[in-house]
């Protein structure tokens, strides 16, 4: 009997939905390849966190990888920081940041006119700010950035300076607990010094004279203490990689010790090069045992409330799956991290379809890949935290519990 020894794990971000009229976007999409995988595989539905809990992409991905999000999710900051390439360490306090525009004490633009190039600004902050504690500040795409504080007696129990809405006064950082007073002071120092540097920065003077909003302040939010995570390879004995365009998913992979395999053409939107991404993932299987692939576009279409856009993107994903059909010795998993119904324009707790195709699975009577058919499958209804155990069993790497 053949046993698959590799795992190719696809997360079609937010692909799962509710019916609009008679069918969901997945049911309406043209998906011969995914249907063939379902036909020769085993299907089910899955609550990525727990029934009725609306997952974020971050908490859902942690759960799918077998890391209890209630234990390891300490806020968005740590995963964003890891995603932009900061080598975060357990005990760091991390934030996601925006370059924004401050005028007369008010935040007049939370994205600083969607500034594109912030490398020089970030560099000047890294060089010029001194708050008596080590910090790493790094720009990301567009107006985004991340920051990590590293040292003794730091805490993530601090408020944000982000008023969340435009034309509201910028806030100060405050300690929520007494152990965070030092951190709040460091952040207020950081803020004052960075404003000084940004105000007079040539990049901003140029922007102002061109009539563009200057990126003269940093908004920091999503504070989180970087958790101590057992690396994926240590946990499962599988050499792993992540293929994704979304910084948050890359960050989760990196924090779990996965290698980030990048490729050109990933945008995180519906214009992403899905064929290229799937090929990159298949190639990564040559020297990894486990490859996580996140394909983001369907989530974007769901948030936009656009049924046809979501359906058509799912059809495009299916075309890329033609090369997955011929894989040997590989467990192929296709699921989603949560539902993003076009009728709701946000994540919901509706369970997602999951399908496993590979050697030894008990092929069931499901012939199509979608939310409704999957509910009749042999996997029945699982939780996200179960899936790695099931896969380890299928590839014959699970240990026996008891004699
Ligand atoms: Zn998601
Ligand atoms: Zn989303």
């Amino acid at each position: 009997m053949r046993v698959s020894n590799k795992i190719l794990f696809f997360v079609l971000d937010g692909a799962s939905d509710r019916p609009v009229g008679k069918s969901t976007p997945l049911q309406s999409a043209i998906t011969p390849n995914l249907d063939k995988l379902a036909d020769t595989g085993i299907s089910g539905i899955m609550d990525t966190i727990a029934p009725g809990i609306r997952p974020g992409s971050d908490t859902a991905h942690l759960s799918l990888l077998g890391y209890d999000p209630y234990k390891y999710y300490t806020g968005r900051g740590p995963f964003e920081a890891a995603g932009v390439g900061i080598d975060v360490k357990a005990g760091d306090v991390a934030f996601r940041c925006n370059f924004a525009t401050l005028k007369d004490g008010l935040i007049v633009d939370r994205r600083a006119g969607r500034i594109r190039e912030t490398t020089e600004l970030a560099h000047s902050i890294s060089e010029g700010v001194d708050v008596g504690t080590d910090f790493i500040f790094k720009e990301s795409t567009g107006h985004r950035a991340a920051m990590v504080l590293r040292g003794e007696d730091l805490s993530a129990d601090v408020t944000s300076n982000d008023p969340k809405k435009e034309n509201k006064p910028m806030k100060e950082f405050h300690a929520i607990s007494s152990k965070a007073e030092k951190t709040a002071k460091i952040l207020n120092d950081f803020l004052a010094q960075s404003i000084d540097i940004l105000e007079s920065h040539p990049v901003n003077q140029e922007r102002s004279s061109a009539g563009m909003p200057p990126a003269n302040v940093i908004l920091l939010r999503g504070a989180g203490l970087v958790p101590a995570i057992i690396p994926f390879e240590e946990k499962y004995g599988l050499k792993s990689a992540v293929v994704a365009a979304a910084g948050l998913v890359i960050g989760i992979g990196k924090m779990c010790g996965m290698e980030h395999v990048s490729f050109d053409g990933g945008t995180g939107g519906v214009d992403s090069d899905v064929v290229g991404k799937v090929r990159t993932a298949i190639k990564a299987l040559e020297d990894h045992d486990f490859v996580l692939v996140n394909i983001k576009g369907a989530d974007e279409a769901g948030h936009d409330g656009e049924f046809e856009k979501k359906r058509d993107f799912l059809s495009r994903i299916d075309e890329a799956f033609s090369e997955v059909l011929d894989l040997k010795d590989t467990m192929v998993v296709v699921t989603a991290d949560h539902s993003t119904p076009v009728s709701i324009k946000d994540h919901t707790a509706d369970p997602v379809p999951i399908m496993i195709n590979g050697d030894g699975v008990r092929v069931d009577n499901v012939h199509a890949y979608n939310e409704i058919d999957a509910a009749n499958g042999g996997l029945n209804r699982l939780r996200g935290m179960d899936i790695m155990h099931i896969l380890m069993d299928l590839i014959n790497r699970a240990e026996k519990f008891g004699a």
Side-chain angles (χ1 to χ4, degrees):
M1 170 84 206
R2 279 180 91 89
V3 176
S4 303
N5 56 13
K6 305 234 169 184
I7 299 168
L8 182 53
F9 197 120
F10 287 98
V11 178
L12 312 183
D13 205 303
S16 182
D17 210 301
R18 295 176 179 179
V20 174
K22 283 207 174 78
S23 56
T24 66
L26 255 180
Q27 282 180 301
S28 309
I30 300 162
T31 55
N33 295 314
L34 287 168
D35 293 347
K36 194 175 280 180
L37 286 168
D39 189 50
T40 55
I42 185 169
S43 296
I45 55 174
M46 178 165 65
D47 302 286
T48 52
I49 299 193
I53 304 297
R54 291 186 161 184
S57 293
D58 39 18
T59 49
H61 277 80
L62 280 172
S63 191
L64 293 175
L65 296 173
Y67 295 92
D68 183 352
Y70 289 104
K71 187 170 165 198
Y72 292 104
Y73 187 71
T74 54
R76 191 159 166 180
F79 302 98
E80 291 280 351
V84 308
I86 298 177
D87 187 15
V88 296
K89 296 190 171 11
D92 289 349
V93 175
F95 304 82
R96 57 196 293 237
C97 310
N98 274 16
F99 282 90
T101 306
L102 180 69
K103 194 179 175 201
D104 303 328
L106 302 180
I107 297 296
V108 294
D109 189 332
R110 290 183 65 251
R111 300 183 179 89
R114 293 196 175 270
I115 185 168
R116 301 188 77 99
E117 188 46 62
T118 59
T119 306
E120 282 178 50
L121 297 174
H123 181 76
S124 298
I125 288 172
S126 301
E127 295 287 301
V129 172
D130 182 359
V131 289
T133 296
D134 287 345
F135 75 91
I136 304 164
F137 183 83
K138 197 166 187 300
E139 77 283 10
S140 175
T141 51
H143 57 277
R144 298 178 201 86
M147 185 169 85
V148 158
L149 293 176
R150 182 169 295 165
E152 301 286 302
D153 305 322
L154 297 172
S155 166
D157 292 346
V158 286
T159 59
S160 168
N161 66 331
D162 184 357
K164 301 263 160 65
K165 286 199 175 108
E166 287 172 351
N167 297 313
K168 297 268 183 206
M170 183 173 71
K171 299 181 173 182
E172 276 198 343
F173 294 98
H174 291 289
I176 301 168
S177 69
S178 55
K179 64 177 182 192
E181 269 156 25
K182 177 182 165 183
T183 309
K185 186 185 171 301
I186 290 170
L187 290 169
N188 285 316
D189 282 356
F190 174 86
L191 189 61
Q193 291 182 35
S194 58
I195 288 171
D196 278 348
I197 290 169
L198 293 172
E199 277 291 357
S200 58
H201 200 284
V203 168
N204 277 328
Q205 287 175 346
E206 228 171 85
R207 284 180 71 79
S208 294
S209 49
M212 289 188 287
N216 58 3
V217 69
I218 311 291
L219 300 176
L220 298 99
R221 60 211 159 97
L225 190 69
V226 175
I229 288 188
I230 309 152
F232 193 85
E233 186 164 354
E234 205 173 296
K235 193 171 161 78
Y236 299 110
L238 302 175
K239 193 162 177 275
S240 59
V242 56
V243 180
L248 195 58
V249 176
I250 297 169
I252 287 167
K254 283 191 166 175
M255 281 192 50
C256 298
M258 297 181 160
E259 186 189 340
H260 172 224
V261 178
S262 59
F263 83 106
D264 298 332
T267 64
V270 291
D271 56 345
S272 195
D273 171 13
V274 189
V275 173
K277 183 176 268 185
V278 172
R279 275 191 195 144
T280 302
I282 292 172
K283 183 106 180 49
L285 275 177
E286 287 172 12
D287 49 4
H288 296 87
D289 308 306
F290 179 97
V291 178
L292 173 69
V293 193
N294 175 282
I295 302 175
K296 184 83 182 148
D299 182 56
E300 181 189 272
H303 282 288
D304 293 344
E306 294 195 34
F307 187 97
E308 287 81 16
K309 184 169 150 190
K310 188 164 179 180
R311 177 199 62 200
D312 295 348
F313 183 69
L314 291 166
S315 300
R316 216 151 71 64
I317 290 179
D318 186 82
E319 286 170 25
F321 267 77
S322 61
E323 297 179 35
V324 176
L325 297 178
D326 311 321
L327 288 176
K328 298 272 180 291
D329 304 321
T330 304
M331 281 292 159
V332 176
V333 182
V334 185
T335 189
D337 51 348
H338 48 75
S339 300
T340 312
V342 292
S343 55
I344 304 293
K345 298 185 181 180
D346 205 344
H347 303 181
T348 66
D350 302 88
V352 301
I354 175 158
M355 180 269 296
I356 307 175
N357 188 300
D359 298 311
V361 303
R362 292 178 178 170
V363 177
D364 58 19
N365 294 319
V366 175
H367 310 300
Y369 183 75
N370 61 62
E371 305 86 340
I372 312 303
D373 285 280
N376 299 318
L379 286 170
N380 304 120
R381 185 166 181 158
L382 325 164
R383 290 196 189 202
M385 287 278 290
D386 298 329
I387 187 64
M388 279 307 300
H389 291 298
I390 292 169
L391 294 171
M392 291 298 281
D393 182 49
L394 284 169
I395 64 169
N396 229 1
R397 301 278 288 260
E399 278 172 30
K400 195 180 342 185
F401 175 49

